[in-house]
Amino acid sequence: MTTTPLTTLALRRAAAAALGKLEGTVTAPVARALTAGGAVLTIASAFLSWTWTADFPGDLTVNGYPGGLQWLTVTAGLLLLLQSLSAHGVRGLGGLGPHGHTIALRRLALGALATSWFTLGAIAVELGGLANLTAGGWVAAFAVLPALYGALALPADQHAATPADALPAWRERLQVTAIAAFGLFLFTYAIETSYGELFEGFLITLGFGAAAHLKSGLFERTSALLTRQRPFAMAAAFAAAALFPLTQSDDHNANVGVNILIFATVALGLNIVVGLTGLLDLGYVAFLGVGAYTAALISGSAYSPFHHAEVPFWAAALIGAGVSMIFGVLIGAPTLRLRGDYLAIVTIGFGEIFHLTVQNLDGTSGPNITNGPNGIPNIPDISLFGFSLGTAHTIGSFTIGRFANYFFLMLLVTLIVIAVFSRAGNSRIGRAWIAIREDETAAEAMGINGFRTKLTAFALGAALAGLAGTVSAHVTYTVVPNPYVFAGSTPPNSAFLLAAVVLGGMGTVSGPLLGASLLYLIPEKLEFLQNYQLLAFGVALILLMRFRPEGIVANRRRQLEFHQADLPEQAGPADTITLTKAGA
């Protein structure tokens, strides 16, 4: 059944009328009291026992101390309480949102409800029914309802968020340091979650909290603060990332961090082609494979036909990036005169050609160069200035393992790629890329050489992917053809890379980094998604296109294009997670 504009308008009026009736059922002071009281009850309920058996992960049988998912309920209730006090005009909390702004309050109330009910539902599913809930579990089920009712009963005032006044430099830098530390805490908590239910609950709490504070204008004020303190913010972000391996006692988590950086760096290179220039490249992962195979062939592996020609890593990195750039030029030169779907089809073909070629260079179907499906194993660890990255090192009380060493190296590579992306995007060639993305015909009419400009983007993106591939070959010890396909079960592949750029936010620096982190970490933590990853990501992209088509971290230009109707309300939180222009 199709809905006409009149039908849609009638439905909206009916919903507004129903909400208006609810808002008028209680007075504002009573609604405020219900909201704050419900938040306090939600926090208190987490200090009760929710189940009688310790078979559920996290041990929720203890009275007086939260455990596992109960801590997320405490967090959701605390966020709700603080937002409630801020919305009611309590001094000192105005930074969370303007006085009287209840949209964020409602979202946090829904988040507290979703977090607690998810935990109770997980207990029922894991243990076999609601009979496994104790009295504390039932208290938790209903504790948040007064807060939700009070938040819905408050008038839906939508005051515009006023920009925060500039503070003294030392206070702003202290706030930036706190933001960087909070980001490190969130990432560390997510990567250390020991079971799927805890990670799912974390995503629920984080999602509702982010949606609420995006609406309250907190991200907009944070973005303005980071813009004013751009150099210090970049240094703080780098320091927080460098501290991550020192917080890990499990080398597996450092390995996950390394792979996230590799995935994110390649996605950022693809962002030059897709986000800035508007070229749909569906075979981009092949350039990562070119860099990885180049490094594997010349780094001294006994299974390489060129194992006698071993070169140091810095030379292998330059050669891998250069060979990938040459492939980018060779592939782009005959194909970049195509546009749209035709270009996408050709790039898919290039990706498949690369995958089949490295499989057939096994000495049987072709020359023995890549060892076919078996790949090139036993790639030696990188040694820089006599320092082997494959050996654990002790610094004081900290032990820096193999993957921690590679994390630091990959962090430097990521900074190089960010610097290249930022400088290129803000340069004359970057403005030409954006002009071609917006309208290639108009750009050429203004004197821009469209073919040469697109070829430059293609070659630069390929070189950045090849640079990351040289590190990836040493991290994994083995280079095989399986990952370098359009769509596969594990990242990185072209579909995952494209999804990371679109999900995070095209044309930004922090968007692909965030999108790649989510797309790598979620399948790593949620094992049941491993066989349904493409389905899950497809659903996520559909929802994203419906509710936030500009991506999680929005480029201001694209955000204005997608939200012209509600411009005053949505134009604020562009590039909210970190700085786009600063490259953080």
Side-chain angles (χ1 to χ4, degrees):
M1 181 181 67
T2 59
T3 57
T4 63
L6 292 178
T7 304
T8 303
L9 181 61
L11 291 174
R12 289 180 178 177
R13 288 179 177 176
L19 185 58
K21 291 179 180 179
L22 178 60
E23 292 173 353
T25 55
V26 295
T27 60
V30 173
R32 297 190 184 106
L34 286 173
T35 305
V40 173
L41 287 176
T42 300
I43 297 173
S45 69
F47 290 83
L48 301 175
S49 169
W50 286 15
T51 182
W52 57 270
T53 175
D55 291 340
F56 187 80
D59 192 8
L60 309 186
T61 64
V62 180
N63 286 301
Y65 186 81
L69 283 160
Q70 287 177 324
W71 278 112
L72 296 177
T73 301
V74 172
T75 302
L78 184 61
L79 290 175
L80 176 60
L81 178 61
L82 293 176
Q83 186 67 39
S84 174
L85 296 177
S86 173
H88 300 162
V90 175
R91 296 184 61 184
L93 297 176
L96 296 178
H99 170 57
H101 193 101
T102 58
I103 303 299
L105 193 63
R106 292 173 180 176
R107 293 184 179 181
L108 287 175
L110 289 172
L113 178 70
T115 302
S116 58
W117 282 23
F118 167 78
T119 304
L120 300 176
I123 293 173
V125 172
E126 183 77 16
L127 302 181
L130 294 175
N132 293 281
L133 297 179
T134 60
W138 292 106
V139 171
F142 297 102
V144 73
L145 294 181
L148 180 61
Y149 182 83
L152 292 175
L154 286 171
D157 297 330
Q158 299 186 34
H159 299 283
T162 56
D165 296 331
L167 299 174
W170 69 270
R171 291 185 61 182
E172 289 194 339
R173 291 178 178 178
L174 187 62
Q175 291 179 350
V176 171
T177 304
I179 293 171
F182 181 68
L184 175 62
F185 168 76
L186 284 181
F187 183 76
T188 302
Y189 183 88
I191 209 169
E192 289 181 345
T193 50
S194 55
Y195 51 96
E197 292 87 353
L198 183 60
F199 186 74
E200 293 169 18
F202 169 75
L203 290 180
I204 292 173
T205 306
L206 180 65
F208 277 99
H213 290 108
L214 182 67
K215 197 69 174 179
S216 70
L218 179 62
F219 285 168
E220 178 185 0
R221 293 187 292 275
T222 302
S223 178
L225 169 65
L226 296 178
T227 302
R228 291 194 299 270
Q229 297 291 335
R230 181 180 302 171
F232 184 82
M234 295 177 62
F238 175 76
L243 287 174
F244 166 73
L246 303 181
T247 65
Q248 303 301 309
S249 58
D250 186 358
D251 213 27
H252 172 72
N253 291 339
N255 182 26
V256 174
V258 173
N259 287 293
I260 287 176
L261 284 180
I262 292 173
F263 190 20
T265 302
V266 180
L268 192 58
L270 178 61
N271 199 26
I272 293 178
V273 180
V274 176
L276 293 182
T277 318
L279 304 176
L280 186 55
D281 187 353
L282 300 182
Y284 183 77
V285 76
F287 298 122
L288 174 68
V290 171
Y293 268 98
T294 301
L297 289 171
I298 62 177
S299 294
S301 171
Y303 292 86
S304 168
F306 312 108
H307 61 276
H308 297 295
E310 182 178 354
V311 300
F313 170 72
W314 64 267
L318 293 177
I319 294 172
V323 172
S324 296
M325 179 182 290
I326 293 172
F327 269 86
V329 173
L330 294 177
I331 299 303
T335 61
L336 287 179
R337 300 188 187 278
L338 302 174
R339 300 185 185 182
D341 298 340
Y342 300 101
L343 177 62
I345 293 172
V346 171
T347 54
I348 288 181
F350 163 64
E352 292 303 314
I353 290 172
F354 172 79
H355 175 71
L356 294 174
T357 300
V358 294
Q359 275 192 325
N360 291 326
L361 295 180
D362 56 357
T364 301
S365 302
N368 186 14
I369 297 177
T370 64
N371 205 22
N374 295 323
I376 303 176
N378 294 342
I379 301 172
D381 283 305
I382 295 174
S383 180
L384 293 174
F385 308 107
F387 184 88
S388 176
L389 300 188
T391 305
H393 303 273
T394 301
I395 301 178
S397 59
F398 297 101
T399 299
I400 310 299
R402 176 180 184 271
F403 292 114
N405 292 329
Y406 278 103
F407 183 91
F408 290 126
L409 175 62
M410 197 61 218
L411 184 60
L412 293 177
V413 174
T414 303
L415 289 178
I416 293 173
V417 174
I418 289 175
V420 171
F421 181 93
S422 300
R423 298 293 293 179
N426 295 324
S427 66
R428 181 178 180 181
I429 187 66
R431 293 191 292 271
W433 289 337
I434 295 174
I436 289 176
R437 183 192 68 191
E438 297 300 323
D439 192 326
E440 183 174 351
T441 303
E444 291 179 344
M446 296 301 295
I448 295 176
N449 188 322
F451 173 75
R452 186 173 60 190
T453 304
K454 291 189 294 183
L455 187 60
T456 303
F458 215 71
L460 181 58
L464 297 181
L467 178 62
T470 59
V471 181
S472 175
H474 292 276
V475 172
T476 58
Y477 283 128
T478 303
V479 177
V480 293
N482 293 339
Y484 308 113
V485 294
F486 170 69
S489 58
T490 57
N493 54 63
S494 293
F496 276 58
L497 292 170
L498 183 62
V501 173
V502 176
L503 176 68
M506 293 192 293
T508 66
V509 172
S510 51
L513 301 180
L514 177 62
S517 300
L518 290 175
L519 291 184
Y520 191 93
L521 193 58
I522 290 176
E524 174 72 19
K525 292 297 181 179
L526 303 181
E527 296 181 358
F528 71 91
L529 277 180
Q530 291 183 358
N531 295 327
Y532 306 98
Q533 290 184 28
L534 292 179
L535 174 63
F537 294 148
V539 172
L541 288 176
I542 291 173
L543 295 176
L544 187 74
M545 292 300 101
R546 170 59 183 86
F547 296 105
R548 193 169 177 83
E550 68 273 22
I552 298 176
V553 182
N555 176 273
R556 184 175 295 273
R557 180 190 298 271
R558 294 182 62 82
Q559 191 173 40
L560 296 179
E561 292 174 356
F562 284 114
H563 297 282
Q564 291 182 359
D566 49 352
L567 180 61
E569 184 177 330
Q570 293 288 340
D575 295 338
T576 53
I577 306 300
T578 53
L579 293 177
T580 293
K581 293 184 179 179

